Amino acid sequence: MLTENTLRPQERAAIATVPTGLFIAGQWRTTEATLPVVDPSTGQLLADVADAKAQDGLDALTAASDAQAGWAATPARERSDILMRAHRALLDDTERLALIMTLEMGKPLTEARGEIAYAAEFFRWFAEEAVRLDGGYMAAPAGGSRFLVTKQPVGPSLLITPWNFPMAMGTRKIGPALAAGCTCVVKPAEQTPLSMLALADILDRVGVPSGVVNVLTTSDPGALTEPMILDSRSRKLSFTGSTAVGKRLLEQCAKTVMRTSMELGGNAPFLVFDDADLDAAVEGALAAKMRNIGQACTAANRILVQRSVFDAFADKLATRLAALPMGRGTEDDVVVGPLIDAGAVAKVVDLVADAKQRGAAVRLGGEAVDGPGNFYPATVLTDVPDDADLCHTEIFGPVAALAAFDTEEEAIARANDTPYGLVSYVFTESLRRGLRVSEALDTGMVGLNQGVVSNPAAPFGGVKESGLGREGGTTGIDEFLETKYIGVKL
Ligand code: NAP
């Protein structure tokens, strides 16, 4: 339910700067129907944004398709310069953008500022990559001809992003797409469209040509995106979101054999060995668990601690978590903001109840708090059995689920016992063990003695049901490039 609008003047002013239409071919388009954007910490209405229908999607695809040849032919240095300007524009606008993000998504302002810096860095990184695309020239093994190998933009790309990192999940796709010479249609999440709309406005101002980036908000994502996916002008889908939706989109993409990148769900194990620096492990767990109020694909979902240090670790973690202030993300010092919606709170309540019923003990928190707002307190559960639902589901909340293990082999086996494989964390002071365990873990990324792995310069992505492809790093741009081989008869 929406409550009375009591936004503070600077909050209202920040929201008022965001265009609320659809951004198609460099123009803002209004729609008859709109969809509400709500502050998850109060339930207050922030704005009504345009609600795109299937035809708007096809119009955006036409714009992207019409702009494709010109953008691909734009010198890489020029594309790079535009991305560099976008990087600077985001940084210069951090306070406004962070406030908008906190209001629509709930994360504390400090984290929102961090996300703007992280998001901007994708533009700088890919501006640098844009001018370093390489190719090849070699003699055919049998002689007589030469192989020329070059890279070309894959073409108009559809980019679908989730609500938990409303800006960075967009720039992590838009940056490499533009660097590679691809145009795009971006569909942000329904609950957090304002950050992406603000970004579209910025990209327009820094000189991204009309039609190169188009942004559509909608209350009916399937109806909007399926016709675009099935349209042969779309050449690529880059999706970040849940594994369930990712699988559905992969089925659609199969019909036209469309290239895909899939950044999907996780179920990260966080392993603490008896030779770990326990204070460092606690800090790592705090980062891996509490970033984004636990609502991250990289969140530590199962914290496995060697038995001899289990109690000491649990006590230290509970003490640190108990000290974290909870409240609206705009307030000073708040670390535990609201969850995205009431459904997210209900899910955490159910998961904790199930774990308790199966024998888990509550060391901290464990009870939902009254509204307004979708708050759930920082919680520590110990002795969580492997068959608890929260060991098999993304908790997406500030609940640290701890269980003990005895041997390294057991820890690895339990860590890998999941269909997901995005990231894992290992804390040990032994280099040998650290590398041995890191190599044995079936995940695309490992945080070895660190609780955050995200970095625009590193390849981000998962294995198994956590996805396909990598974003960022030196391979991130390849997701938007085709390799072409030209055989040359001498
Ligand atoms: P989601 O429900 O899968 O939604 C992601 C995006 O897909 C949203 O824009 C959503 O639009 C759209 N969508 C939903 N149904 C669709 C359909 N039938 N056709 C086309 N688009 C559709 O995921 P979420 O709840 O927003 O995000 C949380 C999930 O994302 C978690 O599983 C998390 O682990 C994952 N995630 C992964 C990474 C990674 O890099 N691996 C990063 C961040 C998050 P609406 O908003 O309108 O529903």
Side-chain angles (χ1 to χ4, degrees):
M1 205 211 310
L2 305 182
T3 58
E4 193 190 342
N5 193 333
T6 54
L7 288 177
R8 293 176 183 144
Q10 79 270 23
E11 294 170 358
R12 200 171 303 126
I15 296 295
T17 61
V18 183
T20 54
L22 309 175
F23 190 60
I24 300 174
Q27 305 292 321
W28 291 97
R29 176 188 292 190
T30 55
T31 57
E32 215 164 287
T34 56
L35 63 97
V37 186
V38 172
D39 177 347
S41 66
T42 61
Q44 289 176 7
L45 178 70
L46 297 172
D48 289 297
V49 302
D51 191 359
K53 302 283 178 257
Q55 187 56 50
D56 298 306
L58 294 174
D59 292 349
L61 183 56
T62 299
S65 185
D66 290 349
Q68 177 57 49
W71 183 242
T74 302
R77 176 60 71 198
E78 212 174 297
R79 297 200 302 265
S80 172
D81 286 347
I82 290 174
L83 285 170
M84 276 297 189
R85 291 203 293 274
H87 164 253
R88 178 44 48 204
L90 280 189
L91 292 183
D92 289 348
D93 214 354
T94 296
E95 286 308 310
R96 179 182 74 98
L97 296 171
L99 182 55
I100 291 165
M101 187 187 299
T102 291
L103 288 170
E104 69 173 348
M105 189 268 155
K107 69 179 68 184
L109 261 181
T110 317
E111 285 194 45
R113 291 186 188 108
E115 185 178 335
I116 299 302
Y118 175 50
E121 189 58 24
F122 282 108
F123 285 156
R124 178 159 70 169
W125 175 260
F126 285 108
E128 292 161 345
E129 292 293 283
V131 291
R132 314 239 184 282
L133 294 183
D134 57 7
Y137 180 78
M138 66 175 278
S145 66
R146 298 290 180 268
F147 301 164
L148 271 176
V149 179
T150 186
K151 289 180 181 165
Q152 294 182 324
V154 63
S157 300
L158 179 55
L159 315 179
I160 303 180
T161 58
W163 51 264
N164 59 349
F165 293 93
M167 188 67 90
M169 295 303 94
T171 61
R172 198 163 79 171
K173 298 181 190 304
I174 298 169
L178 266 50
C182 296
T183 61
C184 56
V185 179
V186 189
K187 195 214 83 63
E190 182 178 344
Q191 286 164 310
T192 57
L194 299 177
S195 294
M196 186 54 63
L197 293 169
L199 178 63
D201 183 37
I202 288 172
L203 292 176
D204 190 31
R205 282 191 269 127
V206 300
V208 173
S210 298
V212 170
V213 175
N214 307 275
V215 176
L216 303 176
T217 50
T218 185
S219 63
D220 193 350
L224 175 75
T225 61
E226 189 170 3
M228 283 195 274
I229 290 171
L230 297 181
D231 190 309
S232 61
R233 293 174 298 171
S234 299
R235 303 302 293 273
K236 164 91 192 180
L237 171 66
S238 179
F239 172 77
T240 298
S242 62
T243 295
V245 172
K247 286 180 180 177
R248 200 174 316 155
L249 295 177
L250 278 169
E251 282 175 18
Q252 293 173 14
C253 291
K255 292 181 183 152
T256 58
V257 195
M258 181 143 83
R259 286 257 320 254
T260 59
S261 299
M262 291 277 152
E263 296 289 350
L264 307 178
N267 182 357
F270 187 103
L271 308 184
V272 184
F273 287 92
D274 57 6
D275 59 1
D277 173 338
L278 272 200
D279 290 325
V282 167
E283 292 311 308
L286 269 177
K289 183 74 252 177
M290 296 306 293
R291 183 170 177 235
N292 230 26
I293 320 137
Q295 304 168 109
C297 53
T298 51
N301 215 53
R302 298 167 292 147
I303 302 180
L304 302 173
V305 186
Q306 203 149 16
R307 200 171 301 278
S308 60
V309 294
F310 185 87
D311 279 327
F313 178 87
D315 284 342
K316 282 173 185 276
L317 183 64
T319 304
R320 286 286 278 118
L321 283 173
L324 301 180
M326 182 167 74
R328 193 164 183 242
T330 49
E331 305 308 309
D332 287 345
D333 301 331
V334 161
V335 176
V336 188
L339 300 186
I340 189 68
D341 56 27
V345 177
K347 177 182 168 190
V348 173
V349 167
D350 286 351
L351 288 174
V352 170
D354 170 79
K356 277 161 57 177
Q357 192 254 323
R358 291 175 197 265
V362 178
R363 184 87 53 126
L364 177 73
E367 297 289 338
V369 293
D370 290 338
N374 311 312
F375 290 96
Y376 194 93
T379 292
V380 177
L381 302 179
T382 57
D383 308 315
V384 176
D386 285 354
D387 64 355
D389 288 348
L390 52 59
C391 293
H392 307 279
T393 312
E394 285 184 297
I395 301 170
F396 255 51
V399 177
L402 276 58
F405 68 86
D406 291 300
T407 66
E408 185 179 307
E409 294 69 29
E410 178 199 343
I412 292 168
R414 285 168 68 185
N416 285 339
D417 186 17
T418 166
Y420 297 97
L422 187 61
V423 62
S424 45
Y425 304 92
V426 181
F427 279 76
T428 172
E429 289 297 282
S430 159
L431 179 64
R432 268 196 199 136
R433 168 178 269 165
L435 293 178
R436 190 170 61 226
V437 174
S438 295
E439 288 188 10
L441 289 169
D442 216 355
T443 54
M445 303 175 286
V446 179
L448 179 51
N449 291 323
Q450 63 181 53
V452 175
V453 292
S454 309
N455 189 314
F460 188 106
V463 300
K464 301 199 280 187
E465 294 192 19
S466 286
L468 299 165
R470 295 292 180 270
E471 292 190 322
T474 51
T475 51
I477 197 167
D478 290 335
E479 301 285 324
F480 292 92
L481 291 167
E482 291 287 8
T483 298
K484 179 175 278 183
Y485 146 62
I486 303 169
V488 184
K489 186 83 185 161
L490 289 191

